[in-house]
Amino acid sequence: MAALIAGNKADMEVSMLVRDVEVCDSINHSHCNSKYLSGYMLPKNVCATTDAKAALLGADFCIHAIPVQFSSAFLGGISEYVDSKLPIISVSKGLELNSLRMMSQIIPQALGNPNQPVIVLSGPSFAVELMKKLPTAMVVASKDKKLARAAQQLFSSQYVRISSSSDVTGVEIAGALKNVLAIAAGIVEGMNLGNNCMAALVAQGCSEIRWLATKMGAKSTTLTGLSGTGDIMLTCFINLSRNRTVGVRLGSGEKLDDILNSMTQVAEGVATAGAVITLAQKYKVKMPVLTAVARILDNELTPKKAVMELMNLPQVEEV
């Protein structure tokens, strides 16, 4: 995101707040991130700091990319430096495990400001392809149309197209639950169950996401757009997806703890899966595929037994 914005406007100062001193030095002295995407150069107008106060001082926008489960604590720790009118653009996808909160709820509550401007950015967008400047389309969502338009202008470029939406719930729920579905798709791949099975599973998963999201107030049109169907296709079918990779390894017989311990990045779907069962019960929605993922992650079910359960569900009429 920093590279995208800095590349759009050479006169804009883009500051990255990082924790790792070595990464900070690498960005400032070599113009690359030594830890992630180290093969790609960052624009000269990107600088890094480990000082939250310095990073946020005088900022026009703040992009929040902290994993969902750690966001509340992180934001609480820097809240004194966040201006009450600073628009926060969240690119974190998931649901907080115990509270079931979305990022648009976490951000204002963690900052202690119910009126903090919040925008959500989502859609099918692998970071490496953005760094390669390959054509990409995403969506920004905010209840404030002026804010959405401002974010649209901030990110749009010759190779990035940004749509806008007022359906924050739809964009966030689709972005969170597609990560859980991607784990299911990976399990199918890891078990070598074939393309027919993959297509059936993803179709069922899309229906489950739609059933839940619309009960939560989302628009069905959002769920067939970039943040829904678009992101689902990318995350479920392409090997670059972290969540899909977790599923592939589970389906191949590896243990979850071993998989997570070997990863350098967070697969948001693992934590979000735990929230799915609670949400399904709360909104009285049957979600056999997505709840099966949660049960596999909790060692209540093996991937093989999950497939047998799903295949033995009652035959239904497609509506």
Side-chain angles (χ1 to χ4, degrees):
M1 293 296 99
L4 170 60
I5 292 170
N8 285 351
K9 298 175 177 65
D11 59 342
M12 183 180 284
E13 292 179 31
V14 179
S15 181
M16 290 180 67
L17 176 61
V18 298
R19 290 182 299 170
D20 191 320
V21 174
E22 287 184 15
V23 168
C24 185
D25 290 342
S26 157
I27 291 169
N28 289 333
H29 299 133
S30 307
H31 298 292
C32 75
N33 186 327
S34 58
K35 194 171 182 181
Y36 302 117
L37 301 169
S38 57
Y40 298 89
M41 297 298 291
L42 291 165
K44 297 284 175 67
N45 51 324
V46 173
C47 63
T49 179
T50 56
D51 182 347
K53 184 178 180 180
L56 289 159
L57 187 65
D60 297 308
F61 292 93
C62 172
I63 299 170
H64 178 88
I66 306 295
V68 173
Q69 308 308 321
F70 307 102
S71 286
S72 187
F74 171 80
L75 289 166
I78 65 163
S79 60
E80 63 183 296
Y81 310 123
V82 179
D83 187 275
S84 62
K85 294 181 180 178
L86 176 65
I88 311 290
I89 304 171
S90 173
V91 297
S92 307
K93 297 174 182 175
L95 297 168
E96 196 172 51
L97 187 52
N98 295 320
S99 70
L100 307 181
R101 292 185 299 173
M102 298 177 285
M103 284 305 307
S104 59
Q105 297 166 316
I106 292 170
I107 291 169
Q109 289 174 19
L111 292 175
N113 176 17
N115 298 314
Q116 190 76 44
V118 177
I119 306 159
V120 174
L121 175 68
S122 193
S125 49
F126 286 141
V128 67
E129 295 193 4
L130 281 168
M131 294 302 286
K132 289 179 179 178
K133 299 188 176 182
L134 297 176
T136 300
M138 293 179 282
V139 60
V140 290
S142 175
K143 291 174 183 175
D144 183 327
K145 286 188 177 180
K146 284 186 180 178
L147 263 184
R149 279 198 294 270
Q152 210 172 9
Q153 292 170 357
L154 184 69
F155 290 107
S156 295
S157 73
Q158 288 183 323
Y159 63 96
V160 174
R161 178 180 171 82
I162 304 288
S163 301
S164 64
S165 171
S166 60
D167 184 10
V168 177
T169 298
V171 169
E172 286 211 82
I173 289 297
L177 297 189
K178 61 92 188 177
N179 284 331
V180 183
L181 182 54
I183 295 173
I187 290 170
V188 167
E189 180 74 18
M191 294 178 71
N192 295 310
L193 294 178
N195 297 318
N196 294 349
C197 181
M198 179 71 76
L201 174 116
V202 173
Q204 171 67 23
C206 287
S207 294
E208 293 178 16
I209 291 171
R210 186 180 73 250
W211 297 335
L212 178 63
T214 51
K215 278 216 171 182
M216 294 177 70
K219 298 174 185 175
S220 57
T221 48
T222 301
L223 306 171
T224 55
L226 288 166
S227 61
T229 304
D231 216 354
I232 287 167
M233 286 195 286
L234 188 76
T235 315
C236 289
F237 300 137
I238 308 299
N239 290 330
L240 286 171
S241 163
R242 295 189 295 272
N243 293 284
R244 186 180 186 275
T245 298
V246 169
V248 170
R249 293 174 67 179
L250 283 170
S252 303
E254 289 188 59
K255 300 293 184 187
L256 180 62
D257 286 346
D258 294 337
I259 297 168
L260 297 181
N261 288 336
S262 70
M263 295 177 71
T264 57
Q265 291 177 292
V266 175
E268 293 272 29
V270 175
T272 300
V276 168
I277 292 177
T278 310
L279 282 172
Q281 291 169 344
K282 180 179 178 180
Y283 289 95
K284 297 180 171 60
V285 178
K286 290 183 179 178
M287 305 176 71
V289 166
L290 298 186
T291 54
V293 173
R295 292 167 66 202
I296 290 169
L297 295 173
D298 284 342
N299 281 323
E300 289 179 24
L301 202 61
T302 65
K304 189 173 181 179
K305 283 184 179 177
V307 172
M308 289 172 64
E309 275 194 15
L310 291 169
M311 291 305 293
N312 286 323
L313 288 171
Q315 306 292 332
V316 296
E317 180 182 356
E318 187 169 72
V319 179

